[in-house]
Amino acid sequence: MTTRDTLPQYRRLYELLRKQITDGVFVEGDLLPSENELSTLHGVARPTVRQALASLVNDGYIKKQKGKGSIVSALPRGIGILSVAGTSAALSSMNLKTLIVVKPLVMRWPDHFIFSLPPGIRESGCIMLERIRLVDSKPLFYDINHLPNVNLPRFTSRSFENKSLFDILRKDYHIQVVGGEQRLRAIRAGKKIARYLQIREDAPVLHLERRLDTNRVGFSFYSSLYCNTSVHALFGTF
Amino acid sequence: MTTRDTLPQYRRLYELLRKQITDGVFVEGDLLPSENELSTLHGVARPTVRQALASLVNDGYIKKQKGKGSIVSALPRGIGILSVAGTSAALSSMNLKTLIVVKPLVMRWPDHFIFSLPPGIRESGCIMLERIRLVDSKPLFYDINHLPNVNLPRFTSRSFENKSLFDILRKDYHIQVVGGEQRLRAIRAGKKIARYLQIREDAPVLHLERRLDTNRVGFSFYSSLYCNTSVHALFGTF
DNA sequence: AAGGTTTACTTGTAAATACAAGTTATTATT
DNA sequence: AATAATAACTTGTATTTACAAGTAAACCTT
């Protein structure tokens, strides 16, 4: 059970301000109420307010300037690559469609997996999911995801059409990405990648491999993404 | 009026602990001294210690666990160019050399710069710096940096041999990167890039363009980096 | 010896207070 | 009217104090 009643005050203030920003109560360039104002407004001490604001800075919602105030940043935070968010969030403004290449499938972990697996994970196998993301009807990403096959009820029967894997994990399974590791390479497209992305063989392709760590201890999942960057660059803020 | 040339206490403690971690005084899995110990050791209050530790957490050097302590994380094994801080740490363990292609040079900003410049920056020109980084005597990346030519005394006469631009800005000018924007592409190496990186023309190359925002208002600098990822992948944690 | 309990640590949250330092609008001076 | 000084804000740094909550080892009890 989640302790929403016992949520720390600074966390509650963070959630409130975050919602106000995402809901458009404050827009880019706006100044938040000053720390003292927020302090009296919500009946907490200034250090508590500062703790909330520090989290907002950390997550890229605001920037602070000494002597001036807390300035709201641009909302469409294209995150994606460096921060903790999925690729769907980064592309929300675009005409994005998802094509399922391989539906969620329980299988054995690959023998030579790029990342080392935590103990006890390999035994129960993994769930694999392959998708192609289309932007303006042209294939842009091809991504392969591997998740530990532990305590994810009805996962394989879920629909992943035009849905963010991150969102499904967060909303339906209360799993949040809290960090991870990534490796980036520019490679030549092989036969398979060239076919999926509809590009020439040997065309340069971005290959991004990621381990996504979550709030569930020992639960990390893995993403291997191939991206045709000839038209769209991968874009991100951090 | 003399500007205070001393760092804030929490910054100084951050630098000290950071150095001890990168120097191997503390290795992965070690516990740092407790907050109270650090407090009495360095003669600062615990909130000040916590401020320093929070920065170390933010930069990925440690992880904190309630009831246990501050646990030193593993240093990035690859080329940690994607992390906001701690780039030099990743490189220090490797046989890294830097070759200056173009020494820091004051010039006009390029007419068609990839990023839009803040107001008042274009007028005073920019400092450009081109380098090639060699790992095990083989060129790995070629990077072009543009910095605003404002209030950076003696910058052009500094040595950048085997030194991180981030470190010099942070330590000598109190400029810290607080965020930014990046664009990633996989491209084919042109003549110039192929020569600099000693690879075949048309070989796939990673192109990373970044705007680095700092704690100094209006002071952003820019980096364009070409990387041969055939041997080493670009590595990052988040 | 094995098990649970206590105790002494650790970090997390929160408050009140103080002053430094940057920004901006107002006021006073020239 | 233009300029300089001032006042009234803002965030930044730092201390002290207090208690809550998680961890682990020492301690008892069985």
Side-chain angles (χ1 to χ4, degrees):
Chain A
M1 117 172 184
T2 46
T3 56
R4 198 167 183 81
D5 335 302
T6 57
L7 209 61
Q9 299 186 50
Y10 78 91
R11 204 68 203 163
R12 214 178 313 171
L13 180 55
Y14 163 87
E15 294 290 349
L16 176 69
L17 292 171
R18 182 184 172 280
K19 190 172 191 314
Q20 289 183 327
I21 292 172
T22 56
D23 284 357
V25 178
F26 300 110
V27 298
E28 181 184 1
D30 281 359
L31 286 176
L32 291 187
S34 76
E35 295 179 353
N36 282 323
E37 284 175 331
L38 289 171
S39 173
T40 55
L41 244 164
H42 299 95
V44 295
R46 185 154 87 98
T48 306
V49 172
R50 286 181 62 78
Q51 210 168 349
L53 295 180
S55 298
L56 288 171
V57 169
N58 216 34
D59 294 350
Y61 289 101
I62 62 168
K63 291 192 176 183
K64 302 185 75 175
Q65 188 180 334
K66 191 198 275 193
K68 197 170 186 185
S70 302
I71 305 152
V72 176
S73 299
L75 229 202
R77 309 177 309 120
I79 307 181
I81 300 311
L82 208 84
S83 267
V84 185
T87 46
S88 296
L91 300 162
S92 57
S93 59
M94 292 178 163
N95 182 11
L96 178 78
K97 283 187 183 174
T98 307
L99 217 149
I100 309 293
V101 180
V102 176
K103 287 188 181 181
L105 179 72
V106 176
M107 57 180 285
R108 284 185 26 241
W109 286 93
D111 284 334
H112 302 290
F113 202 60
I114 354 127
F115 293 98
S116 63
L117 294 171
I121 292 297
R122 180 171 285 278
E123 289 67 27
S124 48
C126 71
I127 299 171
M128 194 195 64
L129 167 63
E130 292 190 19
R131 299 187 292 184
I132 291 173
R133 311 295 192 92
L134 305 149
V135 171
D136 297 331
S137 306
K138 289 178 183 172
L140 191 65
F141 301 139
Y142 162 57
D143 65 299
I144 310 161
N145 300 285
H146 287 91
L147 297 91
N149 182 28
V150 283
N151 198 20
L152 293 175
R154 295 183 302 282
F155 189 82
T156 52
S157 57
R158 262 177 199 288
S159 167
F160 289 90
E161 298 279 347
N162 301 329
K163 281 179 190 167
S164 162
L165 179 59
F166 281 58
D167 282 351
I168 289 174
L169 287 173
R170 189 180 69 249
K171 288 179 182 166
D172 299 340
Y173 298 97
H174 299 145
I175 293 174
Q176 286 142 41
V177 175
V178 295
E181 179 186 314
Q182 60 185 359
R183 301 173 199 178
L184 264 165
R185 278 197 166 85
I187 61 165
R188 289 183 196 277
K191 269 210 171 67
K192 183 181 166 190
I193 303 298
R195 191 174 70 248
Y196 281 158
L197 296 181
Q198 291 177 21
I199 52 177
R200 290 222 316 273
E201 256 188 81
D202 292 342
V205 167
L206 202 67
H207 185 200
L208 171 62
E209 293 171 302
R210 289 193 290 178
R211 187 195 72 234
L212 290 311
D213 299 329
T214 70
N215 54 344
R216 201 182 273 191
V217 178
F219 188 94
S220 295
F221 63 99
Y222 306 88
S223 166
S224 180
L225 183 143
Y226 299 88
C227 182
N228 171 19
T229 55
S230 61
V231 178
H232 297 98
L234 272 194
F235 177 93
T237 57
F238 52 93
Chain B
M1 165 127 167
T2 56
T3 40
R4 191 183 59 184
D5 49 354
T6 52
L7 284 169
Q9 298 185 53
Y10 79 92
R11 264 289 144 196
R12 214 180 312 168
L13 180 54
Y14 163 86
E15 294 289 348
L16 175 70
L17 293 171
R18 183 183 175 279
K19 189 172 191 311
Q20 289 182 327
I21 291 171
T22 56
D23 285 357
V25 177
F26 301 110
V27 297
E28 182 184 359
D30 281 359
L31 286 177
L32 292 187
S34 77
E35 296 179 353
N36 282 322
E37 285 175 330
L38 290 172
S39 173
T40 55
L41 245 165
H42 301 94
V44 295
R46 185 154 86 97
T48 306
V49 172
R50 286 179 61 78
Q51 210 168 349
L53 295 180
S55 297
L56 289 171
V57 169
N58 216 36
D59 294 350
Y61 289 102
I62 63 170
K63 290 189 178 183
K64 302 185 75 175
Q65 190 180 334
K66 190 199 274 193
K68 197 170 186 184
S70 302
I71 306 152
V72 176
S73 301
L75 292 176
R77 295 182 298 281
I79 311 299
I81 202 70
L82 286 177
S83 38
V84 173
T87 58
S88 67
L91 302 165
S92 60
S93 59
M94 306 179 86
N95 183 12
L96 177 82
K97 284 187 181 171
T98 307
L99 220 151
I100 308 292
V101 180
V102 175
K103 287 189 180 180
L105 180 72
V106 176
M107 56 179 286
R108 284 186 23 242
W109 287 92
D111 284 333
H112 302 290
F113 202 58
I114 352 129
F115 293 97
S116 61
L117 294 170
I121 292 297
R122 181 172 285 278
E123 287 68 26
S124 47
C126 71
I127 299 170
M128 194 196 63
L129 167 63
E130 291 189 21
R131 299 188 291 183
I132 291 174
R133 309 293 193 95
L134 306 148
V135 171
D136 297 331
S137 304
K138 287 177 184 174
L140 189 66
F141 38 88
Y142 162 58
D143 65 301
I144 310 161
N145 299 287
H146 287 91
L147 296 93
N149 182 29
V150 284
N151 197 18
L152 293 174
R154 294 182 303 281
F155 189 84
T156 52
S157 58
R158 260 175 201 289
S159 166
F160 288 90
E161 299 279 348
N162 302 329
K163 281 179 191 169
S164 161
L165 180 60
F166 279 47
D167 280 352
I168 289 175
L169 288 173
R170 183 167 46 81
K171 287 181 181 164
D172 298 339
Y173 297 98
H174 300 176
I175 293 175
Q176 288 134 40
V177 174
V178 294
E181 179 185 313
Q182 63 182 4
R183 299 172 200 181
L184 265 164
R185 278 196 167 85
I187 61 166
R188 292 182 193 276
K191 271 209 168 71
K192 182 181 167 189
I193 303 299
R195 190 173 69 246
Y196 281 158
L197 296 182
Q198 291 175 24
I199 52 178
R200 289 221 317 273
E201 255 188 83
D202 292 341
V205 168
L206 201 67
H207 186 201
L208 171 63
E209 293 171 301
R210 291 192 293 178
R211 186 195 71 234
L212 291 312
D213 299 329
T214 70
N215 55 344
R216 199 180 274 191
V217 178
F219 188 96
S220 295
F221 62 99
Y222 306 88
S223 166
S224 179
L225 185 143
Y226 298 89
C227 181
N228 171 19
T229 55
S230 60
V231 179
H232 296 96
L234 271 195
F235 177 95
T237 56
F238 52 94

